[in-house]
Amino acid sequence: MRDLMLSCGVKEVSMESTSIYWIPIWRVLEGHFTLHLVNPYFIKQLPGRKSDVKDAQWIAECTMKELIGGSFVPPEDIQQLRQWDRRIFDLDEEIVRKLSKLDAVLQRCNIRLSNYVSNVDCKSYKKVVALLASGVTDPEVLVAQVHGRIINRHGRDTIKASLTGIVSEAEKDAMRQLAEEIEMAERHKRECQERMTAKCEELFPDELRRLQTIPGIKERAATSLIAEIGTDMDKFPTANHLASWSGLKPCNDESNRKVKSRRITHGNRYLRKTIIECAWAASRTKDFFFSRFSYHQTQVRRKNKMKVLVAVARKQLIAVWHVLHDKVEYKDFQKDPGTPDGNKG
């Protein structure tokens, strides 16, 4: 197909974005044509019976009349970072699933330590699982592996009772295998993050450092942001374009003065998850604009905490755009003492 189009003098190619099936075709055509990846939502279909030939003709006609705006497709280096980044997200989901299965095995044995620890990924829980998998079932030995604060909070007898159960050979094997799978997934996560950090330090050292000046954003989040949006902000003419692309910009669905929806829209779910996690951290970082804004909205104006968190995430993403676009470090908003309300005039 590529050779045929080259022989016919084709210079511009457009294709619909369909799951991952466009990627191998894109990689074959890249470097030979001007490529446009189009969201099917923005291409209105012709009336009548649908067929692939009619779709292709319609896309070609829209391309010739310059009615198509291509979606953002990052360069090869950023695509590699994306693969590592999204692999980490998959591993996180897998670890959560394995931890849930591990706790189900323990509860099957009548061991309910998960009722008294902060989470099933803590050190005390892992030590107890390691002993159970090796064949140690004596509650007195297992209690010795639990942190002192947990014992003081709930009482030694309560913790001992939660560790008294019946463990069969099959359940010991299941615990051992699940613990090994979790450990392997954690190791793979560290490997992916190390590769991402090394790649960013090699190609984008300044951007990596500047992003970490924003409150709530550290190494993991900075590398994830670079992987998802890149470092060239020319693809997003304004900061609002980036916020809209990420899905953090509320929709404006209003008809006849009746508001139908103010929900955020669909967008890059990996970017949205990363920046909302950063918003949790930023809203708890003292003496910065994000924490002051969060406190005012939730405590003074009594707004919903989750909605305020989305607003903080959007403001953080606006800051990310300016840091990458203007090539400057983050500068926190400072109140102007010269105005009565403390804000800049």
Side-chain angles (χ1 to χ4, degrees):
M1 181 184 67
R2 180 196 62 193
D3 297 339
L4 176 62
M5 290 194 296
L6 287 172
S7 65
C8 295
V10 176
K11 296 182 178 179
E12 198 170 359
V13 177
S14 297
M15 66 180 76
E16 283 189 349
S17 171
T18 53
S19 184
I20 64 169
Y21 303 114
W22 63 272
I23 298 177
I25 308 299
W26 181 281
R27 297 177 75 173
V28 171
L29 302 181
E30 194 172 19
H32 301 277
F33 309 95
T34 301
L35 299 178
H36 303 284
L37 183 67
V38 187
N39 188 334
Y41 179 80
F42 298 110
I43 303 179
K44 294 186 179 296
Q45 300 294 332
L46 288 173
R49 187 171 181 177
K50 182 181 183 303
S51 69
D52 291 340
V53 175
K54 287 183 179 180
D55 278 350
Q57 291 174 348
W58 177 244
I59 294 172
E61 185 175 347
C62 290
T63 303
M64 288 189 294
K65 294 182 178 180
E66 299 182 354
L67 298 175
I68 283 180
S71 301
F72 169 56
V73 180
E76 180 63 26
D77 292 331
I78 302 298
Q79 289 187 32
Q80 290 185 32
L81 287 172
R82 272 192 179 185
Q83 291 183 54
W84 284 318
D85 183 52
R86 296 183 180 186
R87 173 64 178 159
I88 291 176
F89 280 103
D90 292 340
L91 288 169
D92 281 333
E93 293 178 1
E94 184 177 339
I95 290 170
V96 171
R97 185 166 58 251
K98 297 295 183 183
L99 286 171
S100 178
K101 288 184 177 181
L102 180 61
D103 188 52
V105 174
L106 264 69
Q107 293 192 31
R108 182 185 178 92
C109 302
N110 198 34
I111 294 177
R112 304 300 297 266
L113 181 61
S114 58
N115 292 352
Y116 306 104
V117 296
S118 58
N119 59 76
V120 294
D121 199 28
C122 66
K123 291 182 179 179
S124 297
Y125 193 90
K126 288 181 177 179
K127 290 178 180 178
V128 170
V129 169
L131 284 179
L132 288 170
S134 64
V136 179
T137 58
D138 185 2
E140 291 291 346
V141 179
L142 298 177
V143 167
Q145 303 300 320
V146 180
H147 198 280
R149 281 200 300 267
I150 300 174
I151 295 175
N152 293 337
R153 183 181 305 160
H154 302 287
R156 184 179 180 84
D157 293 338
T158 301
I159 300 300
K160 182 180 176 181
S162 70
L163 293 172
T164 303
I166 302 172
V167 185
S168 67
E169 293 297 326
E171 287 156 346
K172 292 176 185 177
D173 289 342
M175 283 187 278
R176 177 180 53 79
Q177 292 172 4
L178 286 169
E180 290 175 356
E181 291 174 5
I182 293 170
E183 184 181 355
M184 182 177 65
E186 293 282 1
R187 187 176 71 254
H188 289 172
K189 268 185 62 178
R190 291 192 296 270
E191 290 176 2
C192 290
Q193 185 57 50
E194 289 169 2
R195 295 295 295 273
M196 287 183 67
T197 303
K199 192 83 169 177
C200 289
E201 289 177 346
E202 177 188 353
L203 300 176
F204 317 109
D206 295 334
E207 290 83 354
L208 182 64
R209 177 182 54 81
R210 293 190 191 109
L211 284 174
Q212 295 184 63
T213 62
I214 302 174
I217 296 180
K218 298 302 178 187
E219 181 184 293
R220 165 68 189 127
T223 54
S224 181
L225 289 170
I226 293 175
E228 294 302 329
I229 65 177
T231 57
D232 182 11
M233 291 297 102
D234 292 339
K235 298 292 183 180
F236 306 101
T238 65
N240 284 333
H241 281 82
L242 177 59
S244 178
W245 182 78
S246 68
L248 289 174
K249 193 172 183 180
C251 61
N252 186 19
D253 191 0
E254 183 175 345
S255 178
N256 192 25
R257 288 183 286 183
K258 181 179 179 181
V259 177
K260 295 183 177 180
S261 175
R262 284 288 187 267
R263 297 173 64 90
I264 59 175
T265 56
H266 295 288
N268 187 319
R269 64 187 182 95
Y270 300 99
L271 172 61
R272 188 166 61 248
K273 183 176 181 179
T274 297
I275 200 66
I276 287 180
E277 287 178 356
C278 294
W280 274 107
S283 64
R284 289 165 170 76
T285 305
K286 293 183 179 180
D287 301 324
F288 281 101
F289 165 73
F290 300 120
S291 59
R292 294 194 297 268
F293 174 82
S294 177
Y295 176 82
H296 180 78
Q297 295 295 322
T298 56
Q299 302 300 319
V300 179
R301 302 190 64 183
R302 298 294 180 181
K303 288 194 173 183
N304 181 273
K305 174 65 177 177
M306 300 304 295
K307 292 183 178 179
V308 173
L309 198 66
V310 172
V312 173
R314 182 183 176 277
K315 291 179 181 297
Q316 270 193 306
L317 199 57
I318 299 296
V320 168
W321 185 89
H322 283 286
V323 165
L324 295 176
H325 180 268
D326 301 335
K327 296 179 173 58
V328 295
E329 295 185 359
Y330 173 78
K331 184 178 179 182
D332 195 57
F333 173 78
Q334 298 294 332
K335 294 183 179 180
D336 186 357
T339 56
D341 59 353
N343 295 324
K344 292 184 177 181

